[in-house]
Structures are given as structure tokens and as C-alpha cells.
PDB file of all heavy atoms in Angstrom:
ATOM      1  N   CYS A  17       0.858  -1.191  -0.085  1.00 62.00           N
ATOM      2  CA  CYS A  17       0.071   0.021  -0.003  1.00 62.00           C
ATOM      3  C   CYS A  17       0.879   1.191  -0.042  1.00 62.00           C
ATOM      4  O   CYS A  17       0.575   2.243  -0.788  1.00 62.00           O
ATOM      5  CB  CYS A  17      -0.854   0.062   1.275  1.00 62.00           C
ATOM      6  SG  CYS A  17      -2.252  -1.285   1.136  1.00 62.00           S
ATOM      7  N   ALA A  18       1.897   1.225   0.756  1.00 59.00           N
ATOM      8  CA  ALA A  18       2.777   2.445   0.903  1.00 59.00           C
ATOM      9  C   ALA A  18       3.547   2.505  -0.377  1.00 59.00           C
ATOM     10  O   ALA A  18       3.703   3.684  -0.928  1.00 59.00           O
ATOM     11  CB  ALA A  18       3.838   2.209   2.024  1.00 59.00           C
ATOM     12  N   LEU A  19       3.987   1.542  -1.007  1.00 58.00           N
ATOM     13  CA  LEU A  19       4.721   1.558  -2.340  1.00 58.00           C
ATOM     14  C   LEU A  19       3.765   2.153  -3.324  1.00 58.00           C
ATOM     15  O   LEU A  19       4.342   3.013  -4.272  1.00 58.00           O
ATOM     16  CB  LEU A  19       5.236   0.191  -2.638  1.00 58.00           C
ATOM     17  CG  LEU A  19       6.052   0.082  -4.031  1.00 58.00           C
ATOM     18  CD1 LEU A  19       7.328   0.904  -3.859  1.00 58.00           C
ATOM     19  CD2 LEU A  19       6.485  -1.360  -4.305  1.00 58.00           C
ATOM     20  N   THR A  20       2.391   1.649  -3.388  1.00 60.00           N
ATOM     21  CA  THR A  20       1.518   2.279  -4.470  1.00 60.00           C
ATOM     22  C   THR A  20       1.214   3.670  -4.260  1.00 60.00           C
ATOM     23  O   THR A  20       1.224   4.439  -5.223  1.00 60.00           O
ATOM     24  CB  THR A  20       0.215   1.423  -4.333  1.00 60.00           C
ATOM     25  OG1 THR A  20       0.473  -0.031  -4.450  1.00 60.00           O
ATOM     26  CG2 THR A  20      -0.717   1.822  -5.411  1.00 60.00           C
ATOM     27  N   ALA A  21       1.077   3.978  -2.921  1.00 57.00           N
ATOM     28  CA  ALA A  21       0.807   5.486  -2.694  1.00 57.00           C
ATOM     29  C   ALA A  21       2.003   6.275  -3.071  1.00 57.00           C
ATOM     30  O   ALA A  21       1.828   7.409  -3.755  1.00 57.00           O
ATOM     31  CB  ALA A  21       0.610   5.648  -1.259  1.00 57.00           C
ATOM     32  N   THR A  22       3.229   5.894  -2.823  1.00 53.00           N
ATOM     33  CA  THR A  22       4.283   6.559  -3.218  1.00 53.00           C
ATOM     34  C   THR A  22       4.526   6.815  -4.711  1.00 53.00           C
ATOM     35  O   THR A  22       4.801   7.827  -5.246  1.00 53.00           O
ATOM     36  CB  THR A  22       5.729   5.971  -2.686  1.00 53.00           C
ATOM     37  OG1 THR A  22       5.683   5.818  -1.317  1.00 53.00           O
ATOM     38  CG2 THR A  22       6.986   6.740  -3.109  1.00 53.00           C
ATOM     39  N   PHE A  23       4.281   5.613  -5.468  1.00 50.00           N
ATOM     40  CA  PHE A  23       4.304   5.701  -7.012  1.00 50.00           C
ATOM     41  C   PHE A  23       3.252   6.679  -7.490  1.00 50.00           C
ATOM     42  O   PHE A  23       3.580   7.364  -8.400  1.00 50.00           O
ATOM     43  CB  PHE A  23       3.953   4.320  -7.497  1.00 50.00           C
ATOM     44  CG  PHE A  23       3.853   4.227  -8.917  1.00 50.00           C
ATOM     45  CD1 PHE A  23       5.019   4.037  -9.730  1.00 50.00           C
ATOM     46  CD2 PHE A  23       2.732   4.206  -9.582  1.00 50.00           C
ATOM     47  CE1 PHE A  23       4.977   4.128 -11.124  1.00 50.00           C
ATOM     48  CE2 PHE A  23       2.505   4.293 -11.026  1.00 50.00           C
ATOM     49  CZ  PHE A  23       3.659   4.065 -11.665  1.00 50.00           C
ATOM     50  N   GLU A  24       2.099   6.667  -6.977  1.00 54.00           N
ATOM     51  CA  GLU A  24       1.001   7.567  -7.445  1.00 54.00           C
ATOM     52  C   GLU A  24       1.292   9.054  -7.169  1.00 54.00           C
ATOM     53  O   GLU A  24       1.119   9.916  -8.031  1.00 54.00           O
ATOM     54  CB  GLU A  24      -0.280   7.232  -6.715  1.00 54.00           C
ATOM     55  CG  GLU A  24      -0.924   5.961  -7.244  1.00 54.00           C
ATOM     56  CD  GLU A  24      -2.219   5.600  -6.410  1.00 54.00           C
ATOM     57  OE1 GLU A  24      -2.619   6.363  -5.439  1.00 54.00           O
ATOM     58  OE2 GLU A  24      -2.930   4.655  -6.850  1.00 54.00           O
ATOM     59  N   VAL A  25       2.008   9.312  -6.012  1.00 48.00           N
ATOM     60  CA  VAL A  25       2.357  10.727  -5.703  1.00 48.00           C
ATOM     61  C   VAL A  25       3.569  11.135  -6.662  1.00 48.00           C
ATOM     62  O   VAL A  25       3.412  12.324  -7.183  1.00 48.00           O
ATOM     63  CB  VAL A  25       2.798  10.857  -4.244  1.00 48.00           C
ATOM     64  CG1 VAL A  25       3.549  12.210  -4.089  1.00 48.00           C
ATOM     65  CG2 VAL A  25       1.663  10.633  -3.180  1.00 48.00           C
ATOM     66  N   ILE A  26       4.487  10.321  -6.935  1.00 49.00           N
ATOM     67  CA  ILE A  26       5.686  10.781  -7.757  1.00 49.00           C
ATOM     68  C   ILE A  26       5.333  10.820  -9.082  1.00 49.00           C
ATOM     69  O   ILE A  26       5.581  11.803 -10.008  1.00 49.00           O
ATOM     70  CB  ILE A  26       6.869   9.790  -7.413  1.00 49.00           C
ATOM     71  CG1 ILE A  26       7.318  10.035  -5.941  1.00 49.00           C
ATOM     72  CG2 ILE A  26       8.024  10.132  -8.423  1.00 49.00           C
ATOM     73  CD1 ILE A  26       8.307   9.013  -5.705  1.00 49.00           C
ATOM     74  N   SER A  27       4.538   9.671  -9.664  1.00 48.00           N
ATOM     75  CA  SER A  27       4.336   9.804 -11.170  1.00 48.00           C
ATOM     76  C   SER A  27       3.097  10.397 -11.611  1.00 48.00           C
ATOM     77  O   SER A  27       2.933  10.641 -12.727  1.00 48.00           O
ATOM     78  CB  SER A  27       4.344   8.179 -11.556  1.00 48.00           C
ATOM     79  OG  SER A  27       3.194   7.587 -10.979  1.00 48.00           O
ATOM     80  N   GLY A  28       2.166  10.576 -10.712  1.00 49.00           N
ATOM     81  CA  GLY A  28       0.924  11.181 -11.072  1.00 49.00           C
ATOM     82  C   GLY A  28      -0.146  10.003 -11.733  1.00 49.00           C
ATOM     83  O   GLY A  28      -1.065  10.416 -12.259  1.00 49.00           O
ATOM     84  N   VAL A  29       0.297   8.877 -11.669  1.00 48.00           N
ATOM     85  CA  VAL A  29      -0.415   7.736 -12.263  1.00 48.00           C
ATOM     86  C   VAL A  29      -1.054   6.815 -11.213  1.00 48.00           C
ATOM     87  O   VAL A  29      -0.360   6.388 -10.290  1.00 48.00           O
ATOM     88  CB  VAL A  29       0.350   6.907 -13.198  1.00 48.00           C
ATOM     89  CG1 VAL A  29      -0.407   5.681 -13.897  1.00 48.00           C
ATOM     90  CG2 VAL A  29       1.103   7.765 -14.278  1.00 48.00           C
ATOM     91  N   GLU A  30      -2.372   6.617 -11.246  1.00 53.00           N
ATOM     92  CA  GLU A  30      -2.948   5.881 -10.026  1.00 53.00           C
ATOM     93  C   GLU A  30      -2.868   4.396 -10.514  1.00 53.00           C
ATOM     94  O   GLU A  30      -2.778   3.985 -11.724  1.00 53.00           O
ATOM     95  CB  GLU A  30      -4.500   6.154 -10.017  1.00 53.00           C
ATOM     96  CG  GLU A  30      -4.747   7.615  -9.582  1.00 53.00           C
ATOM     97  CD  GLU A  30      -6.194   7.933  -9.396  1.00 53.00           C
ATOM     98  OE1 GLU A  30      -7.007   6.994  -9.563  1.00 53.00           O
ATOM     99  OE2 GLU A  30      -6.631   9.099  -9.116  1.00 53.00           O
ATOM    100  N   ALA A  31      -2.855   3.642  -9.469  1.00 52.00           N
ATOM    101  CA  ALA A  31      -2.668   2.156  -9.627  1.00 52.00           C
ATOM    102  C   ALA A  31      -3.808   1.532 -10.483  1.00 52.00           C
ATOM    103  O   ALA A  31      -3.635   0.612 -11.295  1.00 52.00           O
ATOM    104  CB  ALA A  31      -2.539   1.398  -8.222  1.00 52.00           C
ATOM    105  N   LYS A  32      -5.029   2.029 -10.289  1.00 54.00           N
ATOM    106  CA  LYS A  32      -6.044   1.458 -10.966  1.00 54.00           C
ATOM    107  C   LYS A  32      -6.024   1.704 -12.525  1.00 54.00           C
ATOM    108  O   LYS A  32      -6.441   0.854 -13.297  1.00 54.00           O
ATOM    109  CB  LYS A  32      -7.465   1.960 -10.512  1.00 54.00           C
ATOM    110  CG  LYS A  32      -7.598   3.523 -10.783  1.00 54.00           C
ATOM    111  CD  LYS A  32      -8.861   3.998 -10.124  1.00 54.00           C
ATOM    112  CE  LYS A  32      -9.007   5.554 -10.379  1.00 54.00           C
ATOM    113  NZ  LYS A  32     -10.498   6.098  -9.849  1.00 54.00           N
ATOM    114  N   ASP A  33      -5.302   2.849 -12.882  1.00 54.00           N
ATOM    115  CA  ASP A  33      -5.080   3.142 -14.349  1.00 54.00           C
ATOM    116  C   ASP A  33      -4.109   2.132 -14.886  1.00 54.00           C
ATOM    117  O   ASP A  33      -4.307   1.683 -15.977  1.00 54.00           O
ATOM    118  CB  ASP A  33      -4.549   4.583 -14.565  1.00 54.00           C
ATOM    119  CG  ASP A  33      -5.579   5.515 -14.042  1.00 54.00           C
ATOM    120  OD1 ASP A  33      -6.849   5.246 -14.282  1.00 54.00           O
ATOM    121  OD2 ASP A  33      -5.302   6.602 -13.652  1.00 54.00           O
ATOM    122  N   VAL A  34      -3.102   1.763 -14.077  1.00 48.00           N
ATOM    123  CA  VAL A  34      -2.192   0.693 -14.445  1.00 48.00           C
ATOM    124  C   VAL A  34      -2.809  -0.579 -14.743  1.00 48.00           C
ATOM    125  O   VAL A  34      -2.573  -1.220 -15.874  1.00 48.00           O
ATOM    126  CB  VAL A  34      -1.043   0.403 -13.445  1.00 48.00           C
ATOM    127  CG1 VAL A  34      -0.159  -0.701 -13.832  1.00 48.00           C
ATOM    128  CG2 VAL A  34      -0.261   1.687 -13.302  1.00 48.00           C
ATOM    129  N   VAL A  35      -3.719  -1.007 -13.934  1.00 49.00           N
ATOM    130  CA  VAL A  35      -4.564  -2.267 -14.136  1.00 49.00           C
ATOM    131  C   VAL A  35      -5.496  -2.232 -15.463  1.00 49.00           C
ATOM    132  O   VAL A  35      -5.465  -3.214 -16.109  1.00 49.00           O
ATOM    133  CB  VAL A  35      -5.513  -2.591 -12.835  1.00 49.00           C
ATOM    134  CG1 VAL A  35      -6.251  -3.650 -13.020  1.00 49.00           C
ATOM    135  CG2 VAL A  35      -4.541  -2.681 -11.617  1.00 49.00           C
ATOM    136  N   LYS A  36      -6.079  -1.026 -15.696  1.00 51.00           N
ATOM    137  CA  LYS A  36      -6.865  -0.957 -16.852  1.00 51.00           C
ATOM    138  C   LYS A  36      -6.002  -1.042 -18.125  1.00 51.00           C
ATOM    139  O   LYS A  36      -6.419  -1.677 -19.057  1.00 51.00           O
ATOM    140  CB  LYS A  36      -7.654   0.467 -16.720  1.00 51.00           C
ATOM    141  CG  LYS A  36      -8.811   0.493 -15.657  1.00 51.00           C
ATOM    142  CD  LYS A  36      -9.327   1.888 -15.756  1.00 51.00           C
ATOM    143  CE  LYS A  36     -10.419   1.895 -14.738  1.00 51.00           C
ATOM    144  NZ  LYS A  36     -11.075   3.386 -14.702  1.00 51.00           N
ATOM    145  N   TRP A  37      -5.006  -0.273 -18.055  1.00 47.00           N
ATOM    146  CA  TRP A  37      -4.067  -0.266 -19.332  1.00 47.00           C
ATOM    147  C   TRP A  37      -3.571  -1.730 -19.500  1.00 47.00           C
ATOM    148  O   TRP A  37      -3.623  -2.256 -20.697  1.00 47.00           O
ATOM    149  CB  TRP A  37      -2.799   0.586 -19.119  1.00 47.00           C
ATOM    150  CG  TRP A  37      -3.110   1.948 -18.935  1.00 47.00           C
ATOM    151  CD1 TRP A  37      -4.308   2.542 -19.550  1.00 47.00           C
ATOM    152  CD2 TRP A  37      -2.376   2.998 -18.472  1.00 47.00           C
ATOM    153  NE1 TRP A  37      -4.342   4.019 -19.257  1.00 47.00           N
ATOM    154  CE2 TRP A  37      -3.033   4.206 -18.506  1.00 47.00           C
ATOM    155  CE3 TRP A  37      -1.121   3.126 -17.694  1.00 47.00           C
ATOM    156  CZ2 TRP A  37      -2.742   5.484 -18.123  1.00 47.00           C
ATOM    157  CZ3 TRP A  37      -0.690   4.216 -17.351  1.00 47.00           C
ATOM    158  CH2 TRP A  37      -1.416   5.413 -17.509  1.00 47.00           C
ATOM    159  N   TYR A  38      -3.165  -2.604 -18.429  1.00 46.00           N
ATOM    160  CA  TYR A  38      -2.578  -3.804 -18.545  1.00 46.00           C
ATOM    161  C   TYR A  38      -3.730  -4.759 -19.098  1.00 46.00           C
ATOM    162  O   TYR A  38      -3.500  -5.489 -19.987  1.00 46.00           O
ATOM    163  CB  TYR A  38      -2.139  -4.230 -17.209  1.00 46.00           C
ATOM    164  CG  TYR A  38      -1.431  -5.623 -17.339  1.00 46.00           C
ATOM    165  CD1 TYR A  38      -0.339  -5.794 -18.098  1.00 46.00           C
ATOM    166  CD2 TYR A  38      -1.977  -6.737 -16.713  1.00 46.00           C
ATOM    167  CE1 TYR A  38       0.394  -6.979 -18.156  1.00 46.00           C
ATOM    168  CE2 TYR A  38      -1.413  -7.930 -16.773  1.00 46.00           C
ATOM    169  CZ  TYR A  38      -0.116  -8.103 -17.423  1.00 46.00           C
ATOM    170  OH  TYR A  38       0.533  -9.317 -17.623  1.00 46.00           O
ATOM    171  N   ALA A  39      -4.891  -4.623 -18.438  1.00 48.00           N
ATOM    172  CA  ALA A  39      -6.112  -5.472 -18.856  1.00 48.00           C
ATOM    173  C   ALA A  39      -6.359  -5.195 -20.381  1.00 48.00           C
ATOM    174  O   ALA A  39      -6.668  -6.114 -21.100  1.00 48.00           O
ATOM    175  CB  ALA A  39      -7.289  -5.153 -18.001  1.00 48.00           C
ATOM    176  N   LYS A  40      -6.349  -3.952 -20.811  1.00 47.00           N
ATOM    177  CA  LYS A  40      -6.636  -3.610 -22.202  1.00 47.00           C
ATOM    178  C   LYS A  40      -5.624  -4.231 -23.099  1.00 47.00           C
ATOM    179  O   LYS A  40      -5.952  -4.795 -24.207  1.00 47.00           O
ATOM    180  CB  LYS A  40      -6.667  -2.037 -22.369  1.00 47.00           C
ATOM    181  CG  LYS A  40      -7.136  -1.644 -23.722  1.00 47.00           C
ATOM    182  CD  LYS A  40      -7.125  -0.115 -23.875  1.00 47.00           C
ATOM    183  CE  LYS A  40      -7.484   0.314 -25.313  1.00 47.00           C
ATOM    184  NZ  LYS A  40      -7.482   1.740 -25.365  1.00 47.00           N
ATOM    185  N   ASP A  41      -4.402  -4.151 -22.767  1.00 46.00           N
ATOM    186  CA  ASP A  41      -3.433  -4.735 -23.641  1.00 46.00           C
ATOM    187  C   ASP A  41      -3.486  -6.318 -23.743  1.00 46.00           C
ATOM    188  O   ASP A  41      -3.347  -6.854 -24.819  1.00 46.00           O
ATOM    189  CB  ASP A  41      -2.062  -4.570 -22.998  1.00 46.00           C
ATOM    190  CG  ASP A  41      -1.497  -3.016 -23.251  1.00 46.00           C
ATOM    191  OD1 ASP A  41      -2.151  -2.435 -24.127  1.00 46.00           O
ATOM    192  OD2 ASP A  41      -0.568  -2.805 -22.526  1.00 46.00           O
ATOM    193  N   LEU A  42      -4.028  -7.034 -22.651  1.00 45.00           N
ATOM    194  CA  LEU A  42      -4.258  -8.402 -22.696  1.00 45.00           C
ATOM    195  C   LEU A  42      -5.432  -8.798 -23.638  1.00 45.00           C
ATOM    196  O   LEU A  42      -5.482  -9.783 -24.317  1.00 45.00           O
ATOM    197  CB  LEU A  42      -4.527  -8.862 -21.286  1.00 45.00           C
ATOM    198  CG  LEU A  42      -3.308  -8.881 -20.350  1.00 45.00           C
ATOM    199  CD1 LEU A  42      -3.694  -9.392 -18.988  1.00 45.00           C
ATOM    200  CD2 LEU A  42      -2.184  -9.838 -20.883  1.00 45.00           C
ATOM    201  N   THR A  43      -6.514  -7.900 -23.574  1.00 44.00           N
ATOM    202  CA  THR A  43      -7.704  -8.195 -24.271  1.00 44.00           C
ATOM    203  C   THR A  43      -7.431  -8.015 -25.820  1.00 44.00           C
ATOM    204  O   THR A  43      -8.127  -8.776 -26.652  1.00 44.00           O
ATOM    205  CB  THR A  43      -8.795  -7.315 -23.885  1.00 44.00           C
ATOM    206  OG1 THR A  43      -8.463  -5.918 -24.117  1.00 44.00           O
ATOM    207  CG2 THR A  43      -9.159  -7.455 -22.529  1.00 44.00           C
ATOM    208  N   ILE A  44      -6.652  -7.165 -26.247  1.00 43.00           N
ATOM    209  CA  ILE A  44      -6.304  -7.086 -27.710  1.00 43.00           C
ATOM    210  C   ILE A  44      -5.200  -7.945 -28.168  1.00 43.00           C
ATOM    211  O   ILE A  44      -4.837  -8.009 -29.342  1.00 43.00           O
ATOM    212  CB  ILE A  44      -5.943  -5.638 -28.063  1.00 43.00           C
ATOM    213  CG1 ILE A  44      -4.788  -5.090 -27.403  1.00 43.00           C
ATOM    214  CG2 ILE A  44      -7.122  -4.662 -27.749  1.00 43.00           C
ATOM    215  CD1 ILE A  44      -4.310  -3.684 -27.722  1.00 43.00           C
ATOM    216  N   GLY A  45      -4.677  -8.797 -27.246  1.00 46.00           N
ATOM    217  CA  GLY A  45      -3.761  -9.913 -27.659  1.00 46.00           C
ATOM    218  C   GLY A  45      -2.335  -9.243 -28.066  1.00 46.00           C
ATOM    219  O   GLY A  45      -1.586  -9.945 -28.906  1.00 46.00           O
ATOM    220  N   GLN A  46      -2.040  -8.113 -27.657  1.00 44.00           N
ATOM    221  CA  GLN A  46      -0.698  -7.521 -27.929  1.00 44.00           C
ATOM    222  C   GLN A  46       0.206  -7.667 -26.720  1.00 44.00           C
ATOM    223  O   GLN A  46      -0.273  -7.686 -25.705  1.00 44.00           O
ATOM    224  CB  GLN A  46      -0.934  -6.048 -28.410  1.00 44.00           C
ATOM    225  CG  GLN A  46      -1.728  -5.882 -29.718  1.00 44.00           C
ATOM    226  CD  GLN A  46      -1.936  -4.424 -30.030  1.00 44.00           C
ATOM    227  OE1 GLN A  46      -1.612  -3.523 -29.303  1.00 44.00           O
ATOM    228  NE2 GLN A  46      -2.320  -4.220 -31.188  1.00 44.00           N
ATOM    229  N   GLU A  47       1.442  -7.511 -27.094  1.00 43.00           N
ATOM    230  CA  GLU A  47       2.551  -7.546 -25.957  1.00 43.00           C
ATOM    231  C   GLU A  47       2.367  -6.092 -25.321  1.00 43.00           C
ATOM    232  O   GLU A  47       2.283  -5.031 -25.948  1.00 43.00           O
ATOM    233  CB  GLU A  47       3.875  -7.584 -26.583  1.00 43.00           C
ATOM    234  CG  GLU A  47       4.156  -8.993 -27.077  1.00 43.00           C
ATOM    235  CD  GLU A  47       5.624  -9.255 -27.439  1.00 43.00           C
ATOM    236  OE1 GLU A  47       6.359  -8.285 -27.228  1.00 43.00           O
ATOM    237  OE2 GLU A  47       5.855 -10.309 -28.010  1.00 43.00           O
ATOM    238  N   SER A  48       2.334  -6.040 -24.067  1.00 43.00           N
ATOM    239  CA  SER A  48       2.131  -4.891 -23.309  1.00 43.00           C
ATOM    240  C   SER A  48       3.409  -4.144 -23.016  1.00 43.00           C
ATOM    241  O   SER A  48       4.456  -4.686 -22.519  1.00 43.00           O
ATOM    242  CB  SER A  48       1.505  -5.148 -21.885  1.00 43.00           C
ATOM    243  OG  SER A  48       1.406  -3.971 -21.145  1.00 43.00           O
ATOM    244  N   ASP A  49       3.484  -2.865 -23.421  1.00 47.00           N
ATOM    245  CA  ASP A  49       4.516  -1.964 -23.302  1.00 47.00           C
ATOM    246  C   ASP A  49       4.351  -1.018 -22.140  1.00 47.00           C
ATOM    247  O   ASP A  49       5.016  -0.030 -21.941  1.00 47.00           O
ATOM    248  CB  ASP A  49       4.999  -1.212 -24.540  1.00 47.00           C
ATOM    249  CG  ASP A  49       5.572  -2.104 -25.612  1.00 47.00           C
ATOM    250  OD1 ASP A  49       6.329  -3.046 -25.251  1.00 47.00           O
ATOM    251  OD2 ASP A  49       5.360  -1.877 -26.785  1.00 47.00           O
ATOM    252  N   THR A  50       3.209  -1.219 -21.427  1.00 42.00           N
ATOM    253  CA  THR A  50       2.803  -0.262 -20.456  1.00 42.00           C
ATOM    254  C   THR A  50       3.851   0.071 -19.498  1.00 42.00           C
ATOM    255  O   THR A  50       4.024   1.189 -19.089  1.00 42.00           O
ATOM    256  CB  THR A  50       1.558  -0.688 -19.744  1.00 42.00           C
ATOM    257  OG1 THR A  50       0.409  -0.954 -20.758  1.00 42.00           O
ATOM    258  CG2 THR A  50       1.050   0.231 -18.720  1.00 42.00           C
ATOM    259  N   PHE A  51       4.392  -1.048 -18.809  1.00 41.00           N
ATOM    260  CA  PHE A  51       5.412  -0.861 -17.716  1.00 41.00           C
ATOM    261  C   PHE A  51       6.617  -0.206 -18.244  1.00 41.00           C
ATOM    262  O   PHE A  51       7.200   0.563 -17.467  1.00 41.00           O
ATOM    263  CB  PHE A  51       5.656  -2.169 -17.010  1.00 41.00           C
ATOM    264  CG  PHE A  51       4.404  -2.631 -16.259  1.00 41.00           C
ATOM    265  CD1 PHE A  51       3.614  -3.569 -16.740  1.00 41.00           C
ATOM    266  CD2 PHE A  51       4.181  -2.085 -15.014  1.00 41.00           C
ATOM    267  CE1 PHE A  51       2.484  -4.016 -15.933  1.00 41.00           C
ATOM    268  CE2 PHE A  51       3.037  -2.488 -14.304  1.00 41.00           C
ATOM    269  CZ  PHE A  51       2.184  -3.477 -14.678  1.00 41.00           C
ATOM    270  N   ARG A  52       7.002  -0.442 -19.471  1.00 47.00           N
ATOM    271  CA  ARG A  52       8.114   0.238 -20.110  1.00 47.00           C
ATOM    272  C   ARG A  52       7.814   1.663 -20.140  1.00 47.00           C
ATOM    273  O   ARG A  52       8.718   2.567 -19.855  1.00 47.00           O
ATOM    274  CB  ARG A  52       8.444  -0.370 -21.390  1.00 47.00           C
ATOM    275  CG  ARG A  52       9.708   0.275 -22.072  1.00 47.00           C
ATOM    276  CD  ARG A  52      10.045  -0.375 -23.361  1.00 47.00           C
ATOM    277  NE  ARG A  52       8.879  -0.375 -24.365  1.00 47.00           N
ATOM    278  CZ  ARG A  52       8.781   0.688 -25.031  1.00 47.00           C
ATOM    279  NH1 ARG A  52       9.607   1.723 -25.105  1.00 47.00           N
ATOM    280  NH2 ARG A  52       7.832   0.711 -25.932  1.00 47.00           N
ATOM    281  N   VAL A  53       6.716   2.019 -20.603  1.00 39.00           N
ATOM    282  CA  VAL A  53       6.321   3.438 -20.798  1.00 39.00           C
ATOM    283  C   VAL A  53       6.248   4.078 -19.491  1.00 39.00           C
ATOM    284  O   VAL A  53       6.701   5.150 -19.297  1.00 39.00           O
ATOM    285  CB  VAL A  53       4.922   3.492 -21.418  1.00 39.00           C
ATOM    286  CG1 VAL A  53       4.361   4.992 -21.533  1.00 39.00           C
ATOM    287  CG2 VAL A  53       4.981   3.067 -22.890  1.00 39.00           C
ATOM    288  N   LEU A  54       5.561   3.442 -18.406  1.00 41.00           N
ATOM    289  CA  LEU A  54       5.527   3.969 -17.185  1.00 41.00           C
ATOM    290  C   LEU A  54       6.994   4.211 -16.561  1.00 41.00           C
ATOM    291  O   LEU A  54       7.198   5.184 -15.773  1.00 41.00           O
ATOM    292  CB  LEU A  54       4.751   3.073 -16.165  1.00 41.00           C
ATOM    293  CG  LEU A  54       3.222   3.055 -16.393  1.00 41.00           C
ATOM    294  CD1 LEU A  54       2.489   1.882 -15.487  1.00 41.00           C
ATOM    295  CD2 LEU A  54       2.567   4.362 -16.229  1.00 41.00           C
ATOM    296  N   GLY A  55       7.909   3.272 -16.798  1.00 46.00           N
ATOM    297  CA  GLY A  55       9.207   3.474 -16.392  1.00 46.00           C
ATOM    298  C   GLY A  55       9.813   4.785 -16.898  1.00 46.00           C
ATOM    299  O   GLY A  55      10.465   5.430 -16.220  1.00 46.00           O
ATOM    300  N   LEU A  56       9.594   4.925 -18.269  1.00 42.00           N
ATOM    301  CA  LEU A  56      10.202   6.029 -18.865  1.00 42.00           C
ATOM    302  C   LEU A  56       9.566   7.361 -18.209  1.00 42.00           C
ATOM    303  O   LEU A  56      10.260   8.383 -18.055  1.00 42.00           O
ATOM    304  CB  LEU A  56       9.981   5.977 -20.410  1.00 42.00           C
ATOM    305  CG  LEU A  56      10.776   5.085 -21.075  1.00 42.00           C
ATOM    306  CD1 LEU A  56      10.340   4.946 -22.491  1.00 42.00           C
ATOM    307  CD2 LEU A  56      12.216   5.181 -20.884  1.00 42.00           C
ATOM    308  N   THR A  57       8.201   7.285 -17.956  1.00 40.00           N
ATOM    309  CA  THR A  57       7.491   8.393 -17.515  1.00 40.00           C
ATOM    310  C   THR A  57       7.993   8.771 -16.046  1.00 40.00           C
ATOM    311  O   THR A  57       8.268   9.851 -15.668  1.00 40.00           O
ATOM    312  CB  THR A  57       5.966   8.212 -17.333  1.00 40.00           C
ATOM    313  OG1 THR A  57       5.484   7.782 -18.635  1.00 40.00           O
ATOM    314  CG2 THR A  57       5.249   9.290 -16.865  1.00 40.00           C
ATOM    315  N   PHE A  58       8.097   7.655 -15.259  1.00 38.00           N
ATOM    316  CA  PHE A  58       8.536   7.839 -13.926  1.00 38.00           C
ATOM    317  C   PHE A  58      10.031   8.528 -13.929  1.00 38.00           C
ATOM    318  O   PHE A  58      10.345   9.431 -13.180  1.00 38.00           O
ATOM    319  CB  PHE A  58       8.787   6.448 -13.335  1.00 38.00           C
ATOM    320  CG  PHE A  58       9.194   6.542 -11.680  1.00 38.00           C
ATOM    321  CD1 PHE A  58       8.242   6.786 -10.775  1.00 38.00           C
ATOM    322  CD2 PHE A  58      10.479   6.404 -11.482  1.00 38.00           C
ATOM    323  CE1 PHE A  58       8.676   6.871  -9.471  1.00 38.00           C
ATOM    324  CE2 PHE A  58      10.892   6.388 -10.162  1.00 38.00           C
ATOM    325  CZ  PHE A  58       9.960   6.676  -9.132  1.00 38.00           C
ATOM    326  N   LYS A  59      10.988   8.039 -14.883  1.00 40.00           N
ATOM    327  CA  LYS A  59      12.194   8.593 -15.040  1.00 40.00           C
ATOM    328  C   LYS A  59      12.141  10.037 -15.440  1.00 40.00           C
ATOM    329  O   LYS A  59      12.862  11.008 -14.937  1.00 40.00           O
ATOM    330  CB  LYS A  59      13.040   7.739 -15.959  1.00 40.00           C
ATOM    331  CG  LYS A  59      14.563   8.210 -16.205  1.00 40.00           C
ATOM    332  CD  LYS A  59      15.252   7.313 -17.194  1.00 40.00           C
ATOM    333  CE  LYS A  59      16.647   7.748 -17.337  1.00 40.00           C
ATOM    334  NZ  LYS A  59      17.288   6.937 -18.374  1.00 40.00           N
ATOM    335  N   THR A  60      11.268  10.398 -16.371  1.00 39.00           N
ATOM    336  CA  THR A  60      11.302  11.806 -16.863  1.00 39.00           C
ATOM    337  C   THR A  60      10.773  12.693 -15.719  1.00 39.00           C
ATOM    338  O   THR A  60      11.146  13.761 -15.564  1.00 39.00           O
ATOM    339  CB  THR A  60      10.194  11.897 -18.005  1.00 39.00           C
ATOM    340  OG1 THR A  60      10.733  10.966 -19.102  1.00 39.00           O
ATOM    341  CG2 THR A  60      10.097  13.251 -18.439  1.00 39.00           C
TER     342      THR A  60
END
């Protein structure tokens, strides 16, 4: 919970949005680049 809260504060991305993006990637049968994008966003 603490890790999730920290991630949301720093990146501005909510955990539920991550789940939605990941689920959407799975439904269309494509390889998910979500976490790679989030990593770049976090770094930026």
C-alpha cells in the first residue's frame, strides 16, 4: 500500500489506471509496453 501510494504521488499515475491499461493490452492480444512506458514516465 505504501509503495503504491508513493508511486502515485511521484508519477501522477493511479494504480487502477495501470490495471486498466494492462487489462486492455491483454484483451487485444498484444504485448504490453505499459510498464516500459511507465518506467520512462517515472524517470522523466
Side-chain angles (χ1 to χ4, degrees):
C17 290
L19 184 62
T20 301
T22 301
F23 176 81
E24 291 179 353
V25 170
I26 295 176
S27 67
V29 180
E30 295 185 6
K32 63 182 180 180
D33 293 329
V34 176
V35 175
K36 288 180 181 178
W37 293 338
Y38 185 64
K40 183 178 180 180
D41 285 344
L42 289 177
T43 57
I44 61 177
Q46 296 178 350
E47 290 185 6
S48 175
D49 288 329
T50 303
F51 288 101
R52 181 175 60 83
V53 174
L54 287 175
L56 292 173
T57 303
F58 184 84
K59 182 178 180 180
T60 302

